[in-house]
Amino acid sequence: MGILEGKRILVTGVITDSSIAFHVARMCQEQGATVLLTGYGRLSLVERVAQRLPEAPPVLELDVTDNEHLDSLSSRIAEHVDGIDGIVHAIAYTPQEALGGNFLNAGWDDVATAVHTSAFSLKALTTAVLPLMKQGGSVVAMDFDNSVSYPVYDWMGVAKSALTSTARYLARYVGEDQVRVNMVSAGPLRTMAARSIPGFDELADAWPQRAPLGWDTSDPEPAARAVTALLSDWFPATTGEVVHVDGGFHSTGA
């Protein structure tokens, strides 16, 4: 038996088989869970990628900034499973105008898009699915250390700070429903999302040298393992926490 035996997990953010979310979905299935995926825009792409999992899961359309999508999400999930035990939030987006050294030039519309999609969406997604979490459960969001500034990350870094704070407040309010909310702060990985950040190599190249345990920017497995563990019952009294899976980079100075 796996640590997620019998659990029903909703995983967002699968775009390619290099994404952390894909490896989380795979690991959840290997640990006994029934998995559902969400996708936005190119659903056919997500459906093709889903075929590479041990068992091809249903793929539900979801734009986390669309109230109609959110309002119907619970009923669409209920067509496949009778409840949800875990949610993986792996959604982030910042317009190019707010990245790559454009911090001082970015306008509010682009910043608002980043915060809405990358941070507020955690609250929106969780409250949309909460009616299906009658037995409690676990929400895990993908974070990136935001205790300091980084080159090129700019307003995505600010959005990640907002995401961390959103998770803590969300943990406060859904705790009465026995729902835990935690975050996994992974080091930089060469995913499709990362490749969209101008100057990403400048950010990633420093990681392996400064992380005490080293860091492989091509290996999403450590982060996926942490997410899977937090979805399980092995952390029954942990909520509002940020688990760093970055080789220890966050703990070191220059």
Side-chain angles (χ1 to χ4, degrees):
M1 275 181 59
I3 61 173
L4 297 180
E5 195 69 36
K7 293 195 180 297
R8 301 145 300 180
I9 308 294
L10 180 70
V11 179
T12 67
V14 172
I15 302 174
T16 71
D17 56 9
S18 68
S19 63
I20 297 174
F22 176 87
H23 289 272
V24 169
R26 172 182 59 78
M27 198 166 292
C28 286
Q29 289 186 339
E30 292 171 351
Q31 291 299 319
T34 298
V35 170
L36 290 81
L37 303 182
T38 73
Y40 169 61
R42 295 174 293 175
L43 273 189
S44 60
L45 174 62
V46 180
E47 289 166 347
R48 283 199 300 274
V49 173
Q51 297 293 323
R52 300 172 194 166
L53 290 168
E55 182 177 342
V59 177
L60 309 178
E61 185 176 17
L62 178 64
D63 174 356
V64 287
T65 67
D66 186 318
N67 287 333
E68 290 186 7
H69 283 203
L70 291 164
D71 290 345
S72 65
L73 184 57
S74 279
S75 61
R76 290 185 286 131
I77 290 173
E79 294 174 6
H80 302 279
V81 292
D82 59 359
I84 286 292
D85 303 290
I87 300 170
V88 179
H89 180 280
I91 299 169
Y93 172 71
T94 299
Q96 293 291 307
E97 291 78 8
L99 291 168
N102 287 322
F103 186 85
L104 297 180
N105 300 321
W108 169 242
D109 287 346
D110 291 325
V111 173
T113 296
V115 173
H116 190 180
T117 309
S118 307
F120 182 79
S121 63
L122 176 61
K123 174 265 179 188
L125 174 63
T126 302
T127 53
V129 179
L130 198 59
L132 296 176
M133 303 181 80
K134 299 185 186 304
Q135 306 302 316
S138 174
V139 178
V140 183
M142 297 309 307
D143 197 8
F144 188 78
D145 181 61
N146 45 74
S147 59
V148 296
S149 65
Y150 295 98
V152 310
Y153 208 49
D154 293 345
W155 285 99
M156 179 57 89
V158 176
K160 287 296 188 182
S161 293
L163 176 66
T164 304
S165 188
T166 299
R168 292 189 179 121
Y169 277 92
L170 189 60
R172 171 184 287 269
Y173 286 103
V174 300
E176 62 185 23
D177 297 305
Q178 295 303 300
V179 174
R180 295 168 281 125
V181 182
N182 293 293
M183 311 199 72
V184 169
S185 178
L189 292 163
R190 297 187 187 280
T191 62
M192 178 181 286
R195 288 195 296 271
S196 70
I197 300 174
F200 172 79
D201 287 343
E202 180 184 354
L203 175 63
D205 288 349
W207 226 269
Q209 289 127 29
R210 217 178 89 188
L213 296 176
W215 182 251
D216 185 349
T217 59
S218 65
D219 184 12
E221 185 93 358
R225 287 190 179 207
V227 174
T228 303
L230 287 168
L231 289 169
S232 79
D233 294 330
W234 284 95
F235 288 87
T238 300
T239 196
E241 187 62 82
V242 179
V243 177
H244 288 84
V245 184
D246 62 356
F249 182 99
H250 75 282
S251 68
T252 66

